[in-house]
Amino acid sequence: MTLKILITGASGLLGSKIVELNKDRYEIIPTHSTQPFHPNSVKMDIIVGENVLQVFNKFRPNVVIHTAAETNVDRCESYKNEAWKVNVEGTRNIAEACKNANAKLIFISTDYIFNGEKGLYNEEDKPNPINYYGLTKLKGEEIVRAHCEDYIIARPSVLYGWHLKKTNYVTWVINSLKQGKRIDVVEDHYNSPTLADNLAEAVLRTIETDANGTYHIAGSERINRCDFALKIAEAFKLDKTLINSIKMEDLKVWIAKRPKDSSLSVDKAQKELKVGLLNVKEGLVKMKKRENSEKCHL
Ligand SMILES: NC(=O)c1ccc[n+]([C@@H]2O[C@H](COP(=O)([O-])OP(=O)(O)OC[C@H]3O[C@@H](n4cnc5c(N)ncnc54)[C@H](OP(=O)(O)O)[C@@H]3O)[C@@H](O)[C@H]2O)c1
């Protein structure tokens, strides 16, 4: 029997990579809430419970990969009701539908559920979010555990990769340096940058290995934003002197607090899923190789 995999947020950075990777292997049902990104995408607003049920009743998926979220950390802080609706109530609608349909649920969470005081967090460490985005994603995790027996909670960190319409940290650095713009980047903010294509492969491994539970699925290297920008410049042969290192307290554009060091230990995922999680250089090299094949990207 061919698995039927429904993907929420299929138009997003991670969702689009998951669709691309799986479309020839499984029956894929990409979904969107605003504009369709894939030719056969189905409209499903996760906030609307009835809409979710209709789509589940029609397609009867065996596996659901739930990537849809309000991912803008500052918008979550400023528009708390909207963030709660999408990240908490939307996740509840998906979890309930999975329970009723007996479908495996793969929920994409985040490193921002941690407070960032320790770094290199493992799956046993206690979450303690310091911003509203992290809080809503943690509530999402609790809902998934409460509703579903067969689930994966995958926690990545700082996603990057090519996307036709959306920018991310890496594409922002590349575009700015290409245009000769000076950029301020923080030297005291650490995470585990994750190539979206690599995360998509690892998510697929959780299905193939029939894994269950919580996994940190991120890049294998802890790095600060400034060193990350320098490595981006190196990989894409851009002008490093445009990169200006500053402290988080001097960056005035953030509305929400950021954890200082939310880097993740990926030992469990590497061992149990037998998946190669890339370090920063490996991820950037892979991205560079795809620069010309993924046209019109940002
Ligand atoms: N980006 C990061 O650095 C990062 C880091 C750690 C964890 N994560 C987690 O990884 C996952 C994927 O992130 P991403 O960066 O790939 O996301 P993204 O590019 O921001 O895409 C998010 C998607 O969510 C969909 N969405 C928003 N509201 C919706 C609603 N009411 N109903 C249905 N769909 C809705 C959007 O679809 P439409 O365009 O159709 O509205 C959008 O395509 C998220 O769960 C995020 O929390 C991200």
Side-chain angles (χ1 to χ4, degrees):
M1 185 191 73
T2 310
L3 275 187
K4 267 196 240 176
I5 306 180
L6 184 143
I7 297 155
T8 73
S11 46
L13 176 58
L14 175 62
S16 62
K17 303 294 178 190
I18 293 174
V19 172
E20 202 47 45
L21 188 70
N22 289 287
K23 67 181 195 302
D24 300 326
R25 305 186 207 190
Y26 300 111
E27 190 178 328
I28 294 294
I29 306 137
T31 67
H32 63 275
S33 70
T34 49
Q35 293 291 319
F37 188 75
H38 306 276
N40 57 342
S41 188
V42 175
K43 184 165 169 60
M44 184 177 81
D45 187 334
I46 62 167
I47 293 176
V48 185
E50 274 174 23
N51 191 190
V52 171
L53 287 183
Q54 276 164 357
V55 173
F56 271 66
N57 285 338
K58 182 165 180 199
F59 293 97
R60 305 197 168 275
N62 314 103
V63 177
V64 175
I65 307 177
H66 177 33
T67 80
E70 173 48 85
T71 58
N72 184 310
V73 176
D74 291 323
R75 216 158 43 220
C76 287
E77 208 66 27
S78 302
Y79 303 99
K80 293 193 169 73
N81 281 346
E82 283 73 7
W84 185 270
K85 274 189 202 156
V86 179
N87 295 354
V88 181
E89 296 306 330
T91 298
R92 190 190 311 282
N93 288 336
I94 296 295
E96 278 174 0
C98 284
K99 185 179 178 191
N100 293 336
N102 230 350
K104 184 185 189 92
L105 174 54
I106 301 174
F107 173 59
I108 310 299
S109 185
T110 174
D111 54 335
Y112 274 21
I113 57 144
F114 294 114
N115 66 11
E117 294 301 320
K118 169 181 172 276
L120 287 175
Y121 289 94
N122 64 44
E123 288 79 353
E124 306 305 318
D125 283 320
K126 204 172 170 305
N128 181 18
I130 60 166
N131 58 40
Y132 202 71
Y133 167 72
L135 176 76
T136 59
K137 295 295 287 187
L138 181 60
K139 292 286 169 203
E141 288 195 4
E142 289 166 5
I143 288 166
V144 170
R145 287 194 195 95
H147 282 78
C148 304
E149 277 177 24
D150 191 5
Y151 72 86
I152 290 283
I153 291 171
R155 296 181 184 143
S157 169
V158 196
L159 295 185
Y160 67 95
W162 300 123
H163 190 282
L164 225 54
K165 295 185 175 161
K166 298 184 176 195
T167 55
N168 50 71
Y169 184 72
V170 172
T171 58
W172 170 73
V173 171
I174 294 171
N175 288 340
S176 304
L177 300 187
K178 274 188 180 166
Q179 290 164 25
K181 282 190 198 156
R182 280 187 74 76
I183 52 171
D184 288 339
V185 289
V186 287
E187 63 187 24
D188 51 352
H189 179 44
Y190 287 81
N191 4 54
S192 305
T194 311
L195 181 67
D197 313 64
N198 194 209
L199 175 57
E201 286 165 26
V203 164
L204 182 61
R205 286 292 297 157
T206 67
I207 301 171
E208 289 168 349
T209 56
D210 214 10
N212 201 290
T214 303
Y215 287 85
H216 289 177
I217 306 184
S220 59
E221 184 176 347
R222 168 187 179 270
I223 194 168
N224 69 56
R225 290 288 177 118
C226 182
D227 288 342
F228 189 22
L230 291 168
K231 288 201 179 193
I232 297 164
E234 205 167 286
F236 287 83
K237 302 200 178 356
L238 298 165
D239 184 359
K240 282 185 190 174
T241 64
L242 293 169
I243 297 168
N244 185 37
S245 162
I246 62 166
K247 301 261 189 228
M248 277 210 278
E249 62 186 24
D250 296 322
L251 191 71
K252 303 294 177 211
V253 293
W254 283 346
I255 296 166
K257 275 201 227 160
R258 273 29 178 205
K260 269 197 310 237
D261 184 347
S262 56
S263 56
L264 300 172
S265 160
V266 294
D267 290 352
K268 180 184 174 191
Q270 305 236 63
K271 208 182 291 165
E272 293 185 15
L273 305 176
K274 301 206 173 15
V275 63
L277 294 168
L278 305 176
N279 65 28
V280 170
K281 189 173 174 195
E282 290 164 339
L284 292 171
V285 165
K286 198 162 178 176
M287 190 173 163
K288 171 90 180 112
K289 275 191 190 146
R290 295 183 180 174
E291 188 174 15
N292 298 322
S293 58
E294 301 197 29
K295 288 185 201 130
C296 308
H297 48 66
L298 285 171

